[in-house]
């Protein structure tokens, strides 16, 4: 590593965790990668990159201790047998290769597991309905079940030690089995495992002691505890029973990893619903009750905020899942006084969506996330250029910015032309919506890094025509002119175009400034189902308009179930008294009447409005590209990002990055995939 920045020296102190010593205070807390046991090489490479980037402790994702807790088809790990030991040893090795400690999050989901792969009955403290949609009941564990369960944890801990891990978890968070025993919501037992705090913590105490016995003195034992379930007094609260629990277990684990549960969405709240450091009020009591080190999270990306956590005695370790995904090299950049280069997480939760969709992780800010093994991409290194070609990138949105930056890093002469004065493209508009201000970091980071490279020239207020491009004379032209919100109402449900009248009553998100200074009755029709429709509803309602939100889906912003935001979004619109009309599809508009039809009953319904705002999808803004394809020599013009295929910002950034990585490279192979042994 390069020079050392004394201002943040405390972040780089070593810290003892039981028998182990962490090289610094940066702790990558467990986070899902969507990969799980099906992708051991890709998982190992991902965690190895985190260690290389300076995270002193790097943890795995949830790792099942026994087939009675399987989360198929989601990406989870397992330590059920010796095959699993061999597979996970690769991850421990990859982390150790950079001098970091490897932690494994042993997990049993109880009635919150899936068990669709193993078809084992679900387990629970007192008998419960399965948490997920399948119509299954979870049996109430008897004494023999509890004894078995303790043995599974012990055996898995011994396997974790064999696989080379330094820190082994006891995991009482996120509504999983040990938390189900702790919480009065789900533990209604009348034996020695239910009732009083002492009884409800009994299993956890046994798990910690037996895990320790299993790993001998070779590993530290971490306790991950949800200090507030956010269920009010029905459950564990940070100013109620959590204090008693921490009180009785205070010195038992070697490390406390504390957070807010029940559902994962409360812990990894998106920026739309939480600020950096949002868990502090919940977890700050823990350090006062134990001498053991404490780690907590809060989407920390600012080193000053991290220092303040240490100085004020809130945390000993700066825990991070998302900030380590957006920038695996965050610790190294702080260490070297390059904190201005941190690629800050924007809090969009696209990474969470990967787990919920059971696909490999991806990240809006870091296009290399999840691609470390399968494409061989490194977040900080990129191959030097293979040719002396100069490149003109047209459009300074996420795709164009990332493409120009990555091509510049390869050493190419790059010109970036943007029609507007401000760079950023679509994120300029999206970051103005309520709760989405941090999305501007997609632009800010790239604009800042481009500014450091003398081989990238940026031309603002330069709307390029095909003649301009021909005259410019670049060897290759990349068109990243983005997308346009549709006016024909084609969306996820509406497959055919509607012949809507040419009317200034029908707007798209491009036109919202026309509503400024008016007080209107607005119907927002959301057949896009992601962030923009509901965020516009929130904004316009707050501005004093009468807002009705209509969608053919049964819930508001339905895809945000994947980003763990849907419940929060719908609650917010309801709290604001936005009228919701769900399961209704747009059919047409006549005068001030917008006509909808119920997708279930077929019944029609008219809504009167001053304005119908269509948020249904986008089409490529590719007229310049199509023009250039005819004018320029074959193979010298490419379209990327929304101009090629409209999608969310993460895909635009990815497209820009991929183009730069693959430019002038020999035809890259298809994705590497991990295959089952033949
Ligand atoms: P993406 O998400 O693919 O990056 P955006 O819509 O965010 O797409 O960005 C496209 C950018 O391209 C916008 O900033 C827009 O102003 C710019 N742009 C569109 N047409 C031209 C043009 N002819 N010349 C220069 N810039 C353009
Ligand atoms: Fe942060 Fe979004 Fe990346 Fe997740 S996907 S790490 S929330 S920027």
């Amino acid at each position: 590593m390069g020079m050392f920045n004394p201002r943040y020296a405390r972040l780089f102190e070593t810290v003892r965790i039981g028998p182990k010593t962490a090289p610094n205070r940066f702790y990558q807390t467990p986070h899902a990668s969507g990969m799980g046991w099906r992708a051991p090489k890709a998982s190992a490479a991902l965690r190895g990159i985190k260690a290389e980037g300076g995270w002193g402790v790097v943890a795995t994702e949830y790792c099942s201790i026994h087939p009675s807790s399987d989360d198929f088809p989601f990406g989870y790990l397992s330590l059920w047998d010796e095959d699993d030991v061999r597979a996970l040893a690769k991850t421990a090795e990859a982390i150790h290769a950079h001098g970091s400690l490897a932690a494994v999050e042993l997990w049993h989901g109880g009635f919150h597991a899936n068990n669709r792969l193993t078809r084992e009955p679900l387990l629970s403290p007192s008998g419960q309905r399965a948490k997920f949609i399948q119509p299954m009941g979870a049996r109430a564990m008897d004494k023999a079940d509890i004894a078995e369960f303790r043995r599974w944890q012990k055996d898995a801990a011994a396997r974790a030690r064999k696989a080379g891990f330094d820190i082994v978890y006891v995991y009482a968070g996120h509504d999983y089995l040990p938390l189900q025993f702790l919480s009065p919501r789900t533990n209604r037992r009348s034996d020695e495992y239910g009732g009083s705090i002492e009884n409800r913590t009994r299993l956890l105490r046994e798990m910690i002691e037996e895990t320790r016995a299993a790993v001998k003195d070779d590993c530290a034992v971490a306790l991950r505890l949800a200090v507030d379930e956010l269920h009010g007094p029905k459950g564990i609260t940070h100013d109620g029973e959590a204090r008693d629990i921490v009180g009785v277990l205070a010195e038992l684990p070697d490390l406390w990893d504390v957070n807010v549960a029940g559902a994962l969405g409360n812990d990894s709240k998106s920026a739309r619903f939480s600020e950096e450091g949002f868990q502090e009020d919940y977890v700050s009591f823990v350090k006062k009750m134990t001498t053991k080190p404490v780690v907590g999270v809060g989407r920390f990306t600012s080193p000053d905020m991290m220092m303040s956590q240490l100085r004020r005695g809130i945390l000993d370790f700066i825990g991070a899942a998302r900030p380590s995904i957006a920038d695996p090299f965050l610790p190294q950049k702080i260490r070297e006084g390059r904190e201005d280069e941190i690629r800050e997480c924007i809090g969009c939760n696209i990474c969470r969506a990967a787990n919920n969709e059971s696909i490999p992780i991806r990240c809006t800010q870091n296009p290399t996330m999840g691609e470390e093994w399968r494409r061989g991409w490194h977040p900080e290194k990129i191959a030097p250029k293979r040719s002396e070609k100069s490149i003109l990138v047209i459009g300074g949105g996420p795709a164009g910015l990332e493409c120009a930056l990555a091509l510049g890093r390869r050493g190419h002469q790059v010109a970036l032309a943007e029609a507007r004065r401000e760079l950023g493209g679509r994120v300029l508009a999206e970051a103005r919506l309520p709760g989405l201000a941090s999305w501007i970091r997609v632009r800010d980071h790239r604009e800042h890094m481009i500014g450091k490279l003398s081989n990238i020239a940026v031309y603002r207020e330069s709307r390029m025509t095909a003649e301009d491009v021909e005259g410019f004379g670049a060897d290759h032209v990349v068109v990243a002119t983005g997308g346009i919100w549709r006016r024909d109402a084609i969306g996820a449900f509406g497959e055919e175009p509607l012949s809507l009248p040419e009317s200034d009553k029908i707007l798209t998100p491009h036109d919202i400034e026309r509503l400024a200074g008016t007080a209107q009755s607005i119907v927002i029709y959301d057949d896009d189902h992601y962030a923009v429709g509901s965020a516009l509803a929130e904004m316009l309602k707050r501005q004093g308009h009468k807002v009705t939100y209509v969608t053919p889906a049964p819930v508001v912003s339905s895809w945000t179930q994947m980003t763990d935001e849907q419940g929060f979004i719908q609650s917010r619109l309801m709290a604001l008294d936005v009228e919701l009309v769900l399961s209704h599809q747009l059919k047409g508009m006549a005068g001030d009447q917008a006509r909808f039809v119920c997708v279930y009953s077929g019944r029609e319904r008219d809504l009167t409005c001053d304005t119908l705002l269509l948020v249904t999808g986008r089409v490529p803004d590719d007229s310049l590209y199509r023009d250039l394809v005819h004018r320029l020599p074959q193979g010298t013009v490419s379209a990327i990002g929304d101009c090629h295929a409209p999608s969310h910002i993460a895909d635009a950034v990815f497209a820009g990055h991929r183009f730069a990585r693959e430019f002038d490279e020999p035809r890259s192979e298809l994705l590497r995939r991990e295959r089952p042994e033949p």
Side-chain angles (χ1 to χ4, degrees), residues 394-400 417-420 424-426 462-464 480-483 624 641-643 652:
I394 304 166
E418 165 54 49
R420 288 184 260 183
R426 60 183 286 182
S462 302
R463 177 170 293 281
M464 303 294 279
T481 45
L624 177 63
D642 293 326
C643 170

Side-chain angles (χ1 to χ4, degrees), residues 109-177:
F111 71 86
H112 202 324
N114 250 342
N115 294 9
R116 286 174 176 158
L117 179 71
T118 63
R119 302 190 68 178
E120 295 264 351
L122 293 173
L123 298 173
S124 68
S126 305
Q128 204 86 23
R129 175 65 169 66
K131 188 85 184 163
F132 288 122
I133 45 174
Q134 72 268 40
M136 261 169 112
R139 49 181 262 98
M141 291 165 75
D142 60 22
K143 290 280 177 53
D145 291 323
I146 292 178
E148 283 278 272
F149 168 73
R150 287 165 52 189
R151 188 172 56 75
W152 300 334
Q153 169 78 19
K154 223 162 59 184
D155 290 352
R159 287 187 204 107
R161 169 175 173 254
K162 205 163 160 189
F165 286 95
D166 306 287
I167 301 171
V168 178
Y169 268 73
V170 170
Y171 182 14
H174 300 131
D175 260 353
Y176 294 132
L177 188 66

Side-chain angles (χ1 to χ4, degrees), residues 322 325-326 345-351 362-365:
R322 288 171 291 175
I325 294 168
C345 166
I346 70 167
C348 61
N349 278 11
I350 286 292
C351 52
R362 63 213 152 137
C363 167
T364 301
Q365 276 284 58

Side-chain angles (χ1 to χ4, degrees), residues 179 182-185 200 225-243 245:
L179 185 64
L182 274 184
S183 175
R185 282 189 312 126
R200 279 184 280 128
L225 180 74
V227 296
D228 203 308
E229 296 184 275
L230 300 190
H231 281 295
K234 288 193 295 191
I236 294 164
T237 56
H238 69 287
D239 46 6
E241 284 197 337
R243 288 173 197 248
I245 297 166

